[in-house]
Amino acid sequence: DIVMTQSPDSLAVSLGERVTINCKSSQSVLCSSNNKDCLTWYQQKPGQPPKVLIYWASTRESGVPDRFSGSGSGTDFTLTISSLQAEDVAVYYCQHYYGTPPMYTFGQGTKLEI
Amino acid sequence: QVQLQASGPGLVKPSQTLSLTCTVSGGSTSSTSSYWSWIRQPAGKGLEWIGRIYTSGSTSYNPSLKSRVTISVDTSKNQFSLKLSSVTAADTAVYYCARDPMKGGYFDNWGQGALVTVSS
């Protein structure tokens, strides 16, 4: 089974600072169907469902502010918030998809506070 | 924008079957470019994928839950459903329904979630 491990589990950052959250997979997350990394980042605020920020490791979802960016390849990935805003307080999850057989695996989450 | 709404009993007794329905609007469960999934989240914990269904009725389940899960689709009502049998307190969670747009294995639309408590 693929295991997704995020670091850190939590962090407290000042407004305007740069934030980096890491996600490591126990195996390559390359999608065989399109030769892209099937690695997605979500933001979840209290009482709300997760919201997709980044898919294919680095493609920003429509409407997501450009202060959010994703990078990495293979087994190591990073979500970066270039300048933390108050509304970015949330839990962030990475998620991998494996197609055969289908399986979606989430990291344990990283709680971001100010 | 596709909207999803999960509904069902909020309280289920241990050993019974949990049943939830997700109603889709702004999109179609007949779509050939979507998978429809159930995901759950115990209070204060992380996310666990339960399973998914395609418009044809083809299903895939998380191996850890496969023996207890059934997901079905009713395209005439634009709904898909979850049944989880032999529940215990460990199945207490918020249950989300979500759509995978078949672009790279991610969920672009989520319902608000339905809290299900397993208790006698």
Side-chain angles (χ1 to χ4, degrees), chain A residues 47-65:
Chain A
Q48 297 183 20
K51 169 190 171 184
V52 59
L53 298 175
I54 305 285
Y55 58 92
W56 293 343
S58 61
T59 300
R60 198 179 303 114
E61 175 75 325
S62 175
V64 172

Side-chain angles (χ1 to χ4, degrees), chain A residues 7 11 22 38 40 42 47 49 54 65 67 72 74-75 79-81 86 88 104 113:
Chain A
S7 61
L11 73 164
N22 300 301
C38 280
T40 303
Y42 299 90
I54 305 285
R67 64 180 181 273
T75 61
L79 174 69
T80 300
I81 308 173
D88 300 335
Y104 304 77
E113 299 173 307

Side-chain angles (χ1 to χ4, degrees), chain A residues 40 42 44 56 95 97 104, chain B residues 41 52 100 103 105-107:
Chain A
T40 303
Y42 299 90
Q44 186 179 31
W56 293 343
Q95 175 247 312
Y97 172 72
Y104 304 77
Chain B
Q41 184 174 37
R52 78 181 189 191
D100 173 351
K103 288 173 63 177
Y106 65 92
F107 304 105

